[in-house]
Amino acid sequence: MAKIREFAAIRPKEGLEERIAALPYDVYSRREAKAETEREPFSFLRIDRAETQLSDETPTDSPLVYEKARKLLWDMVKNGELVRDASPCFYLYELTMDGRAQTGLVACASIDDYETGVIKKHENTRADKEEDRVRHVDVCSAQTGPIFLTYRKQEAMECLTRRIKEQSPVFAFTAADGVEHRGWKISDPEEIRNIRRIFDGVEHVYIADGHHRAASAVRVGKLRRAAHPGYTGQEEFNWFLSVLFPDDELRILDYNRVVKDLGGLSPEAFLNKLRTYFSIEESDRSVVCAHKGEMGLFLEDRWYRMEVKPEYTSRDPVEGLDVSILQNTVLGPVLGITDPRTDKRIDFVGGIRGRKELERRVRLDCAAAFAMYPTSIRELLEVADAGRLMPPKSTWFEPKLRSGLFIHEIER
Protein backbone atom coordinates (compact mmCIF):
# COMPACT_ATOMS: atom_id res chain seq x y z
CA MET A 1 0.00 0.00 0.00
CA ALA A 2 1.11 3.55 -0.70
CA LYS A 3 3.06 5.32 2.04
CA ILE A 4 2.82 9.10 2.15
CA ARG A 5 3.59 11.57 4.87
CA GLU A 6 3.29 15.22 5.76
CA PHE A 7 6.26 17.60 5.74
CA ALA A 8 7.17 21.14 6.78
CA ALA A 9 7.20 22.87 3.41
CA ILE A 10 9.32 25.85 2.51
CA ARG A 11 6.88 28.20 0.77
CA PRO A 12 6.81 31.72 -0.64
CA LYS A 13 6.18 34.52 1.80
CA GLU A 14 2.53 35.57 1.63
CA GLY A 15 2.05 37.85 -1.35
CA LEU A 16 5.07 36.57 -3.29
CA GLU A 17 3.51 33.31 -4.54
CA GLU A 18 2.63 34.62 -7.99
CA ARG A 19 6.06 36.15 -8.55
CA ILE A 20 8.02 33.10 -7.34
CA ALA A 21 5.94 30.29 -8.91
CA ALA A 22 7.48 29.07 -12.16
CA LEU A 23 6.68 26.54 -14.86
CA PRO A 24 8.83 23.36 -14.78
CA TYR A 25 12.48 23.88 -15.66
CA ASP A 26 12.36 21.57 -18.69
CA VAL A 27 9.69 23.42 -20.68
CA TYR A 28 12.15 26.23 -21.44
CA SER A 29 15.18 26.49 -23.68
CA ARG A 30 18.17 28.22 -22.10
CA ARG A 31 17.38 31.40 -24.00
CA GLU A 32 13.72 31.32 -22.95
CA ALA A 33 14.64 30.61 -19.32
CA LYS A 34 17.02 33.55 -19.20
CA ALA A 35 14.41 35.88 -20.70
CA GLU A 36 11.86 34.74 -18.13
CA THR A 37 14.20 35.36 -15.19
CA GLU A 38 15.00 38.81 -16.56
CA ARG A 39 11.28 39.54 -16.79
CA GLU A 40 10.60 38.34 -13.24
CA PRO A 41 13.60 38.55 -10.87
CA PHE A 42 11.80 36.52 -8.17
CA SER A 43 11.01 33.61 -10.51
CA PHE A 44 11.93 30.24 -9.08
CA LEU A 45 13.36 29.45 -12.49
CA ARG A 46 16.49 31.26 -11.26
CA ILE A 47 17.01 28.29 -8.93
CA ASP A 48 15.78 25.48 -11.17
CA ARG A 49 17.85 26.84 -14.08
CA ALA A 50 20.67 28.65 -12.29
CA GLU A 51 22.77 28.87 -15.46
CA THR A 52 20.50 31.85 -16.29
CA GLN A 53 22.31 33.75 -13.53
CA LEU A 54 25.76 33.02 -14.94
CA SER A 55 27.54 33.93 -18.15
CA ASP A 56 26.18 32.43 -21.36
CA GLU A 57 29.46 30.55 -21.77
CA THR A 58 28.94 28.59 -18.54
CA PRO A 59 28.06 24.95 -19.37
CA THR A 60 24.68 23.91 -17.98
CA ASP A 61 26.31 21.00 -16.14
CA SER A 62 29.09 23.08 -14.58
CA PRO A 63 29.47 22.71 -10.78
CA LEU A 64 29.06 26.49 -10.68
CA VAL A 65 25.43 26.10 -11.81
CA TYR A 66 24.45 23.83 -8.92
CA GLU A 67 26.33 25.90 -6.35
CA LYS A 68 24.57 29.00 -7.67
CA ALA A 69 21.21 27.26 -7.30
CA ARG A 70 22.02 26.33 -3.69
CA LYS A 71 23.06 29.87 -2.83
CA LEU A 72 20.00 31.44 -4.46
CA LEU A 73 17.63 29.04 -2.68
CA TRP A 74 19.01 29.49 0.80
CA ASP A 75 19.49 33.23 0.35
CA MET A 76 15.75 33.45 -0.34
CA VAL A 77 15.09 31.56 2.90
CA LYS A 78 17.53 33.77 4.80
CA ASN A 79 15.94 36.92 3.37
CA GLY A 80 12.44 35.75 4.33
CA GLU A 81 11.22 35.50 0.72
CA LEU A 82 10.75 31.77 1.31
CA VAL A 83 9.43 30.67 4.71
CA ARG A 84 9.55 27.24 6.37
CA ASP A 85 6.34 26.04 8.02
CA ALA A 86 6.71 25.42 11.75
CA SER A 87 5.39 21.84 11.71
CA PRO A 88 4.75 19.05 9.19
CA CYS A 89 1.51 19.43 7.21
CA PHE A 90 -0.27 18.15 4.16
CA TYR A 91 -1.42 20.69 1.57
CA LEU A 92 -3.99 20.87 -1.21
CA TYR A 93 -3.03 22.40 -4.54
CA GLU A 94 -5.76 23.33 -7.02
CA LEU A 95 -5.12 24.35 -10.63
CA THR A 96 -7.92 25.68 -12.84
CA MET A 97 -7.47 25.94 -16.60
CA ASP A 98 -10.24 26.93 -19.02
CA GLY A 99 -12.78 26.58 -16.21
CA ARG A 100 -11.69 23.00 -15.41
CA ALA A 101 -10.22 22.39 -11.94
CA GLN A 102 -8.03 19.61 -10.57
CA THR A 103 -6.98 19.34 -6.94
CA GLY A 104 -4.05 17.35 -5.66
CA LEU A 105 -2.63 16.44 -2.28
CA VAL A 106 0.86 17.82 -1.68
CA ALA A 107 2.75 15.21 0.30
CA CYS A 108 5.96 13.23 0.42
CA ALA A 109 6.06 9.79 -1.21
CA SER A 110 8.41 6.99 -0.24
CA ILE A 111 11.57 6.14 -2.19
CA ASP A 112 11.03 2.53 -1.05
CA ASP A 113 7.61 2.51 -2.74
CA TYR A 114 9.36 3.65 -5.93
CA GLU A 115 11.91 0.86 -5.62
CA THR A 116 9.35 -1.88 -4.89
CA GLY A 117 6.86 -0.87 -7.59
CA VAL A 118 4.11 0.49 -5.37
CA ILE A 119 4.76 3.68 -7.32
CA LYS A 120 4.41 2.65 -10.95
CA LYS A 121 6.16 4.15 -13.96
CA HIS A 122 5.23 4.28 -17.64
CA GLU A 123 8.30 5.96 -19.13
CA ASN A 124 12.06 5.48 -19.30
CA THR A 125 14.43 8.22 -18.21
CA ARG A 126 17.43 9.68 -20.02
CA ALA A 127 20.70 9.41 -18.12
CA ASP A 128 21.80 13.00 -18.83
CA LYS A 129 18.53 14.55 -17.69
CA GLU A 130 18.44 12.36 -14.59
CA GLU A 131 22.03 13.22 -13.68
CA ASP A 132 21.27 16.95 -13.90
CA ARG A 133 18.47 16.72 -11.34
CA VAL A 134 20.49 14.40 -9.11
CA ARG A 135 23.17 17.06 -8.83
CA HIS A 136 20.60 19.82 -8.36
CA VAL A 137 18.79 18.03 -5.50
CA ASP A 138 22.00 16.83 -3.89
CA VAL A 139 23.77 20.19 -3.88
CA CYS A 140 20.66 22.16 -2.85
CA SER A 141 19.72 19.47 -0.30
CA ALA A 142 16.13 20.11 -1.34
CA GLN A 143 13.57 18.92 -3.86
CA THR A 144 12.30 21.99 -5.68
CA GLY A 145 9.98 20.51 -8.33
CA PRO A 146 7.09 18.22 -7.33
CA ILE A 147 6.51 14.85 -9.00
CA PHE A 148 3.04 14.63 -10.55
CA LEU A 149 1.41 11.42 -9.24
CA THR A 150 -2.05 10.00 -9.78
CA TYR A 151 -4.19 7.36 -8.09
CA ARG A 152 -7.57 5.78 -8.72
CA LYS A 153 -10.05 8.12 -7.09
CA GLN A 154 -11.08 7.51 -3.49
CA GLU A 155 -14.47 8.71 -2.29
CA ALA A 156 -13.16 9.41 1.21
CA MET A 157 -10.44 11.65 -0.24
CA GLU A 158 -12.99 13.47 -2.40
CA CYS A 159 -15.09 14.24 0.68
CA LEU A 160 -12.09 15.42 2.67
CA THR A 161 -10.91 17.61 -0.21
CA ARG A 162 -14.31 19.28 -0.50
CA ARG A 163 -14.34 19.96 3.24
CA ILE A 164 -10.84 21.46 3.29
CA LYS A 165 -11.62 23.68 0.31
CA GLU A 166 -14.44 25.33 2.23
CA GLN A 167 -11.70 27.04 4.25
CA SER A 168 -9.76 30.09 3.10
CA PRO A 169 -6.74 29.24 0.91
CA VAL A 170 -3.24 30.20 2.00
CA PHE A 171 -2.56 31.47 -1.53
CA ALA A 172 -4.60 32.28 -4.62
CA PHE A 173 -3.44 33.87 -7.84
CA THR A 174 -3.89 33.74 -11.59
CA ALA A 175 -0.67 33.25 -13.56
CA ALA A 176 0.17 35.09 -16.76
CA ASP A 177 -1.02 32.12 -18.84
CA GLY A 178 -4.49 32.32 -17.27
CA VAL A 179 -4.15 29.26 -15.02
CA GLU A 180 -5.57 29.85 -11.53
CA HIS A 181 -3.64 28.46 -8.55
CA ARG A 182 -4.94 28.00 -5.01
CA GLY A 183 -3.45 26.22 -2.01
CA TRP A 184 -4.65 25.08 1.43
CA LYS A 185 -2.68 23.99 4.46
CA ILE A 186 -3.81 20.88 6.37
CA SER A 187 -2.35 21.01 9.87
CA ASP A 188 -5.13 19.48 11.98
CA PRO A 189 -3.77 16.20 13.46
CA GLU A 190 -7.05 14.34 12.90
CA GLU A 191 -7.21 15.38 9.23
CA ILE A 192 -3.59 14.29 8.80
CA ARG A 193 -4.41 10.88 10.29
CA ASN A 194 -7.46 10.58 8.02
CA ILE A 195 -5.37 11.23 4.93
CA ARG A 196 -2.80 8.67 5.96
CA ARG A 197 -5.56 6.11 6.55
CA ILE A 198 -7.03 6.76 3.11
CA PHE A 199 -3.73 6.13 1.36
CA ASP A 200 -3.11 3.06 3.49
CA GLY A 201 -5.89 1.59 1.33
CA VAL A 202 -4.42 2.69 -2.02
CA GLU A 203 -2.54 -0.21 -3.59
CA HIS A 204 -0.63 1.76 -6.22
CA VAL A 205 0.08 5.31 -7.24
CA TYR A 206 1.38 6.22 -10.69
CA ILE A 207 3.86 8.74 -12.04
CA ALA A 208 1.90 10.89 -14.46
CA ASP A 209 4.67 13.39 -15.13
CA GLY A 210 8.13 13.90 -13.66
CA HIS A 211 9.88 10.56 -14.20
CA HIS A 212 13.31 12.23 -14.22
CA ARG A 213 12.60 14.18 -11.02
CA ALA A 214 11.36 11.01 -9.31
CA ALA A 215 14.36 8.93 -10.39
CA SER A 216 16.78 11.63 -9.29
CA ALA A 217 15.08 12.04 -5.89
CA VAL A 218 15.39 8.30 -5.31
CA ARG A 219 19.05 8.27 -6.34
CA VAL A 220 19.86 11.13 -3.97
CA GLY A 221 17.96 9.38 -1.19
CA LYS A 222 20.06 6.25 -1.70
CA LEU A 223 23.26 8.33 -1.71
CA ARG A 224 22.22 9.89 1.62
CA ARG A 225 21.43 6.44 3.02
CA ALA A 226 24.93 5.30 2.10
CA ALA A 227 26.36 8.36 3.84
CA HIS A 228 24.22 7.64 6.94
CA PRO A 229 24.43 3.84 7.47
CA GLY A 230 22.43 4.13 10.66
CA TYR A 231 19.44 5.73 8.93
CA THR A 232 15.99 4.82 10.28
CA GLY A 233 13.84 5.47 7.20
CA GLN A 234 12.21 8.48 8.81
CA GLU A 235 14.81 10.98 7.60
CA GLU A 236 13.53 13.42 4.99
CA PHE A 237 15.87 12.06 2.31
CA ASN A 238 13.81 8.85 2.33
CA TRP A 239 10.86 10.78 0.88
CA PHE A 240 10.23 12.89 -2.20
CA LEU A 241 8.02 15.87 -2.97
CA SER A 242 4.81 14.92 -4.81
CA VAL A 243 1.35 16.15 -5.72
CA LEU A 244 -1.18 13.30 -5.91
CA PHE A 245 -4.27 13.78 -8.08
CA PRO A 246 -7.30 11.49 -8.50
CA ASP A 247 -7.24 9.97 -11.98
CA ASP A 248 -10.66 11.29 -13.01
CA GLU A 249 -9.56 14.93 -12.72
CA LEU A 250 -6.53 14.78 -14.99
CA ARG A 251 -6.30 16.08 -18.53
CA ILE A 252 -3.90 14.72 -21.14
CA LEU A 253 -3.41 16.65 -24.36
CA ASP A 254 -2.13 15.28 -27.63
CA TYR A 255 1.62 14.96 -28.11
CA ASN A 256 2.29 15.49 -31.80
CA ARG A 257 5.19 14.59 -34.08
CA VAL A 258 7.05 16.50 -36.78
CA VAL A 259 9.64 14.90 -39.07
CA LYS A 260 12.50 16.67 -40.82
CA ASP A 261 12.35 14.71 -44.11
CA LEU A 262 10.43 11.96 -45.92
CA GLY A 263 13.31 9.52 -46.09
CA GLY A 264 14.00 10.26 -49.72
CA LEU A 265 10.38 9.74 -50.82
CA SER A 266 8.36 12.23 -52.80
CA PRO A 267 5.19 13.49 -51.06
CA GLU A 268 3.06 11.37 -53.42
CA ALA A 269 5.12 8.24 -52.78
CA PHE A 270 4.99 8.93 -49.02
CA LEU A 271 1.19 9.15 -49.09
CA ASN A 272 0.99 5.91 -51.06
CA LYS A 273 3.10 4.18 -48.39
CA LEU A 274 0.78 5.50 -45.68
CA ARG A 275 -2.29 4.17 -47.49
CA THR A 276 -1.05 0.66 -46.72
CA TYR A 277 -1.88 1.30 -43.06
CA PHE A 278 -4.45 4.11 -43.09
CA SER A 279 -7.55 5.24 -44.88
CA ILE A 280 -6.68 8.78 -45.95
CA GLU A 281 -8.77 11.69 -47.15
CA GLU A 282 -7.87 15.32 -47.70
CA SER A 283 -9.35 17.84 -45.26
CA ASP A 284 -10.23 21.45 -45.97
CA ARG A 285 -9.29 22.45 -42.39
CA SER A 286 -6.78 21.47 -39.74
CA VAL A 287 -7.50 18.03 -38.31
CA VAL A 288 -8.53 17.78 -34.66
CA CYS A 289 -8.69 14.06 -33.96
CA ALA A 290 -12.07 12.97 -32.62
CA HIS A 291 -11.31 9.43 -31.45
CA LYS A 292 -8.62 6.81 -30.93
CA GLY A 293 -7.19 5.57 -34.22
CA GLU A 294 -7.66 8.89 -36.00
CA MET A 295 -4.63 11.03 -36.87
CA GLY A 296 -3.95 14.16 -38.85
CA LEU A 297 -1.18 14.69 -41.41
CA PHE A 298 0.06 18.09 -42.60
CA LEU A 299 2.03 17.73 -45.79
CA GLU A 300 2.79 20.24 -48.57
CA ASP A 301 0.46 22.84 -47.04
CA ARG A 302 -2.47 20.40 -46.96
CA TRP A 303 -4.20 18.58 -44.12
CA TYR A 304 -5.18 14.92 -44.41
CA ARG A 305 -7.36 12.88 -42.07
CA MET A 306 -6.00 9.38 -41.46
CA GLU A 307 -7.88 6.42 -39.96
CA VAL A 308 -5.83 3.37 -38.99
CA LYS A 309 -7.04 0.19 -40.70
CA PRO A 310 -8.43 -2.45 -38.30
CA GLU A 311 -5.72 -5.00 -39.06
CA TYR A 312 -3.07 -2.61 -37.70
CA THR A 313 -4.78 -2.02 -34.35
CA SER A 314 -3.87 -4.05 -31.27
CA ARG A 315 -5.30 -4.96 -27.88
CA ASP A 316 -1.84 -4.92 -26.35
CA PRO A 317 -1.61 -2.02 -23.84
CA VAL A 318 1.53 -0.60 -25.49
CA GLU A 319 1.27 -1.72 -29.12
CA GLY A 320 -2.35 -0.51 -29.21
CA LEU A 321 -1.44 3.10 -28.36
CA ASP A 322 -1.85 5.49 -31.27
CA VAL A 323 1.72 6.70 -30.81
CA SER A 324 2.92 3.07 -31.05
CA ILE A 325 0.87 2.43 -34.17
CA LEU A 326 2.38 5.49 -35.86
CA GLN A 327 5.86 4.40 -34.82
CA ASN A 328 5.40 0.81 -35.95
CA THR A 329 3.75 1.56 -39.29
CA VAL A 330 5.25 4.85 -40.45
CA LEU A 331 8.10 6.31 -38.45
CA GLY A 332 10.11 3.10 -38.28
CA PRO A 333 9.33 1.14 -41.49
CA VAL A 334 8.77 4.07 -43.87
CA LEU A 335 11.05 6.81 -42.50
CA GLY A 336 13.70 4.74 -40.76
CA ILE A 337 13.25 6.52 -37.41
CA THR A 338 13.79 3.45 -35.25
CA ASP A 339 14.66 5.24 -31.99
CA PRO A 340 12.59 8.40 -31.61
CA ARG A 341 14.30 9.08 -28.28
CA THR A 342 17.61 9.88 -29.99
CA ASP A 343 16.90 10.41 -33.70
CA LYS A 344 17.41 14.06 -34.69
CA ARG A 345 15.01 13.70 -37.64
CA ILE A 346 11.96 13.78 -35.36
CA ASP A 347 10.70 16.39 -32.93
CA PHE A 348 7.69 16.52 -30.60
CA VAL A 349 5.13 19.30 -30.19
CA GLY A 350 2.85 19.48 -27.16
CA GLY A 351 -0.84 19.87 -27.92
CA ILE A 352 -1.00 23.08 -25.90
CA ARG A 353 0.73 24.78 -28.85
CA GLY A 354 -2.14 23.93 -31.21
CA ARG A 355 -2.29 22.95 -34.88
CA LYS A 356 -0.85 26.29 -35.99
CA GLU A 357 2.47 25.29 -34.47
CA LEU A 358 2.50 22.10 -36.55
CA GLU A 359 1.84 24.12 -39.69
CA ARG A 360 4.56 26.60 -38.72
CA ARG A 361 7.15 23.86 -38.20
CA VAL A 362 6.42 22.25 -41.58
CA ARG A 363 6.74 25.61 -43.31
CA LEU A 364 9.92 26.38 -41.36
CA ASP A 365 12.11 23.29 -41.02
CA CYS A 366 10.12 20.05 -41.32
CA ALA A 367 8.64 17.93 -44.10
CA ALA A 368 5.49 16.65 -42.39
CA ALA A 369 3.55 16.79 -39.14
CA PHE A 370 1.35 14.19 -37.46
CA ALA A 371 -1.47 15.31 -35.17
CA MET A 372 -2.40 12.66 -32.60
CA TYR A 373 -5.44 11.77 -30.52
CA PRO A 374 -4.44 12.09 -26.84
CA THR A 375 -3.42 9.04 -24.86
CA SER A 376 -6.00 8.45 -22.13
CA ILE A 377 -5.49 8.12 -18.39
CA ARG A 378 -6.97 4.62 -18.66
CA GLU A 379 -4.29 3.68 -21.20
CA LEU A 380 -1.55 5.11 -18.97
CA LEU A 381 -2.73 3.07 -15.98
CA GLU A 382 -3.06 -0.09 -18.07
CA VAL A 383 0.50 0.24 -19.37
CA ALA A 384 1.87 0.86 -15.87
CA ASP A 385 -0.15 -2.01 -14.37
CA ALA A 386 1.25 -4.33 -17.03
CA GLY A 387 4.77 -3.31 -16.01
CA ARG A 388 5.36 -1.91 -19.48
CA LEU A 389 6.66 1.40 -20.81
CA MET A 390 5.12 3.82 -23.27
CA PRO A 391 7.01 5.17 -26.26
CA PRO A 392 8.72 8.52 -25.56
CA LYS A 393 6.53 11.62 -25.59
CA SER A 394 3.23 9.77 -25.27
CA THR A 395 1.53 12.15 -22.83
CA TRP A 396 1.33 15.91 -22.39
CA PHE A 397 -0.35 16.97 -19.15
CA GLU A 398 -1.98 20.36 -18.68
CA PRO A 399 -2.00 22.43 -16.62
CA LYS A 400 1.61 22.17 -15.48
CA LEU A 401 2.45 22.18 -11.77
CA ARG A 402 4.38 25.26 -10.70
CA SER A 403 7.75 24.94 -9.00
CA GLY A 404 8.59 27.06 -5.97
CA LEU A 405 5.20 26.89 -4.25
CA PHE A 406 6.23 23.90 -2.13
CA ILE A 407 9.86 22.92 -1.43
CA HIS A 408 10.97 19.84 0.48
CA GLU A 409 14.24 20.10 2.41
CA ILE A 410 15.83 16.65 2.58
CA GLU A 411 18.53 17.32 5.18
CA ARG A 412 19.60 20.28 7.29
Side-chain angles (χ1 to χ4, degrees):
M1 299 301 176
K3 297 187 290 292
I4 63 165
R5 79 171 191 179
E6 63 278 17
F7 69 108
I10 296 171
R11 301 189 290 115
K13 176 184 176 182
E14 185 176 356
L16 286 181
E17 294 91 351
E18 181 177 358
R19 296 189 65 187
I20 289 174
L23 284 166
Y25 71 96
D26 53 359
V27 306
Y28 294 96
S29 68
R30 182 167 183 161
R31 178 183 56 80
E32 291 169 338
K34 186 168 185 176
E36 177 61 17
T37 59
E38 288 173 349
R39 183 194 69 80
E40 175 49 81
F42 274 107
S43 173
F44 201 78
L45 200 56
R46 294 183 313 135
I47 294 166
D48 272 347
R49 295 286 296 272
E51 69 271 21
T52 61
Q53 308 304 296
L54 300 169
S55 72
D56 291 344
E57 291 72 36
T58 306
T60 56
D61 61 351
S62 167
L64 295 174
V65 172
Y66 305 103
E67 288 297 331
K68 185 67 171 179
R70 180 191 61 78
K71 184 176 188 312
L72 288 168
L73 172 62
W74 297 109
D75 278 354
M76 289 188 78
V77 174
K78 181 180 177 181
N79 296 338
E81 295 149 357
L82 292 171
V83 180
R84 183 186 290 106
D85 279 330
S87 60
C89 307
F90 286 122
Y91 308 85
L92 290 183
Y93 179 20
E94 177 196 75
L95 302 93
T96 303
M97 179 179 179
D98 299 330
R100 185 179 185 278
Q102 61 185 58
T103 307
L105 176 72
V106 185
C108 282
S110 164
I111 68 171
D112 290 323
D113 280 358
Y114 181 95
E115 292 282 272
T116 60
V118 172
I119 298 172
K120 294 197 171 189
K121 305 172 278 289
H122 69 266
E123 187 180 290
N124 272 324
T125 59
R126 277 176 40 190
D128 58 339
K129 291 184 67 176
E130 187 178 318
E131 185 63 28
D132 167 61
R133 288 302 101 177
V134 166
R135 295 174 69 186
H136 192 277
V137 172
D138 199 29
V139 173
C140 290
S141 207
Q143 297 149 358
T144 60
I147 288 84
F148 188 156
L149 301 180
T150 187
Y151 60 94
R152 289 184 171 88
K153 69 174 183 178
Q154 305 288 313
E155 186 176 342
M157 192 64 203
E158 287 186 87
C159 293
L160 187 148
T161 296
R162 285 195 297 269
R163 186 165 66 249
I164 296 295
K165 287 170 66 174
E166 291 174 356
Q167 304 169 15
S168 297
V170 293
F171 67 79
F173 64 91
T174 301
D177 60 2
V179 177
E180 300 170 43
H181 301 263
R182 295 199 295 168
W184 291 262
K185 183 176 174 180
I186 306 172
S187 55
D188 179 79
E190 184 58 34
E191 296 285 28
I192 289 173
R193 284 191 291 271
N194 285 341
I195 291 170
R196 282 188 162 189
R197 278 195 290 267
I198 290 168
F199 280 89
D200 281 344
V202 174
E203 186 175 3
H204 292 290
V205 296
Y206 303 79
I207 300 176
D209 201 8
H211 284 78
H212 290 91
R213 292 191 294 276
S216 62
V218 172
R219 279 182 57 189
V220 173
K222 292 165 75 174
L223 288 171
R224 297 293 173 101
R225 284 179 170 184
H228 299 77
Y231 75 90
T232 66
Q234 295 306 305
E235 298 87 354
E236 293 298 331
F237 54 72
N238 296 287
W239 305 82
F240 61 86
L241 177 64
S242 305
V243 187
L244 300 101
F245 292 90
D247 60 337
D248 63 330
E249 292 190 7
L250 299 187
R251 181 189 185 197
I252 302 180
L253 300 186
D254 42 307
Y255 216 152
N256 305 306
R257 278 83 171 119
V258 291
V259 293
K260 301 298 178 67
D261 60 69
L262 300 181
L265 296 171
S266 68
E268 183 179 359
F270 182 61
L271 277 172
N272 284 335
K273 291 277 190 181
L274 266 57
R275 287 191 175 97
T276 302
Y277 311 105
F278 299 89
S279 301
I280 301 176
E281 60 180 27
E282 192 171 338
S283 174
D284 60 0
R285 65 192 67 185
S286 61
V287 175
V288 178
C289 306
H291 56 81
K292 183 175 168 60
E294 184 177 67
M295 303 177 197
L297 168 67
F298 189 64
L299 176 71
E300 285 203 312
D301 233 30
R302 294 189 183 92
W303 276 101
Y304 297 87
R305 190 177 302 276
M306 309 196 315
E307 186 80 33
V308 64
K309 293 180 179 179
E311 59 266 35
Y312 296 104
T313 60
S314 173
R315 293 183 180 275
D316 182 89
V318 174
E319 300 305 314
L321 297 170
D322 280 9
V323 290
S324 295
I325 292 170
L326 182 69
Q327 177 62 42
N328 295 337
T329 60
V330 179
L331 300 181
V334 177
L335 296 179
I337 300 172
T338 56
D339 187 355
R341 194 178 300 276
T342 59
D343 200 310
K344 302 300 184 185
R345 295 169 57 220
I346 187 170
D347 200 359
F348 304 90
V349 180
I352 193 69
R353 296 181 179 268
R355 295 299 186 260
K356 292 294 184 185
E357 177 64 10
L358 297 182
E359 295 175 3
R360 187 189 73 84
R361 288 297 304 274
V362 170
R363 290 168 183 148
L364 176 68
D365 61 355
C366 293
F370 294 94
M372 310 300 296
Y373 185 71
T375 301
S376 70
I377 288 291
R378 178 187 58 79
E379 289 174 319
L380 184 155
L381 298 183
E382 286 178 353
V383 169
D385 282 338
R388 305 276 297 280
L389 299 174
M390 289 183 173
K393 312 295 185 181
S394 294
T395 56
W396 180 281
F397 284 89
E398 286 290 346
K400 300 291 186 188
L401 308 183
R402 270 22 178 204
S403 295
L405 291 174
F406 305 95
I407 301 158
H408 176 225
E409 184 177 10
I410 62 171
E411 193 173 8
R412 292 196 190 183

